[in-house]
Amino acid sequence: MQQITIPATLDQLETALTFVREQMQKAGCPAKTAGQMELAVEEIFVNIANYAYHPGQGPVSITCEVKGEPLCATVTFCDEGSPYDPLGRTDPDLTLDAEERQIGGLGILMVKKLMDEVIYEYRDGKNCLTMRKTG
């Protein structure tokens, strides 16, 4: 398992993506699985950067582990921002026109659809979101 801690700022998005991409490449993850994980990582990182510490800034720790047969990639984000469970909100109703839907929720819905498992925990004063994808 590898870990980095970086500022949760939009200018660090590429650092986060490169870290996860390198771990998945080293483990020999299939391109489709790696691509789906990268999309999910981007969505979660951007949400943390935009909302976790608003209006201030703070760190985010990202761990990545790829193991097993078939390979299972696990990425966990932990931040010390305001407690928030993104999985606790109701999924947007996609049958409604865009003008009729409440704002927000599409990104986390995409993450839930792309990943095999998404878990949120608030522990030790931190928001921790774990995503798993087998591929």
Side-chain angles (χ1 to χ4, degrees):
M1 180 182 330
Q2 299 294 316
Q3 179 176 342
I4 61 168
T5 300
I6 56 178
T9 56
L10 292 176
D11 65 339
Q12 291 295 311
L13 173 60
E14 191 56 41
T15 302
L17 289 170
T18 299
F19 168 71
V20 172
R21 186 179 305 123
E22 287 175 354
Q23 301 311 308
M24 297 193 69
Q25 286 174 348
K26 284 179 195 173
C29 263
K32 180 179 178 182
T33 301
Q36 290 173 332
M37 183 60 84
E38 282 187 46
L39 280 172
V41 165
E42 180 172 357
E43 180 61 33
I44 298 303
F45 186 87
V46 167
N47 283 348
I48 292 169
N50 284 331
Y51 304 114
Y53 297 100
H54 188 73
Q57 294 181 353
V60 59
S61 293
I62 306 168
T63 60
C64 183
E65 181 175 44
V66 185
K67 65 180 184 178
E69 185 57 45
L71 287 174
C72 179
T74 302
V75 174
T76 300
F77 292 87
C78 290
D79 68 72
E80 299 168 10
S82 302
Y84 178 70
D85 177 1
L87 305 177
R89 90 181 269 168
T90 304
D91 289 339
D93 184 350
L94 300 181
T95 63
L96 297 175
D97 289 334
E99 303 82 38
E100 297 173 329
R101 283 194 303 257
Q102 286 188 324
I103 294 174
L106 289 175
I108 195 68
L109 176 62
M110 177 190 69
V111 169
K112 291 191 297 189
K113 298 274 186 201
L114 287 172
M115 297 294 102
D116 296 327
E117 183 177 29
V118 183
I119 301 166
Y120 169 83
E121 298 175 278
Y122 187 77
R123 63 177 188 255
D124 302 325
K126 296 179 182 177
N127 295 293
C128 294
L129 186 97
T130 300
M131 306 181 299
R132 286 192 183 85
K133 181 71 179 176
T134 302

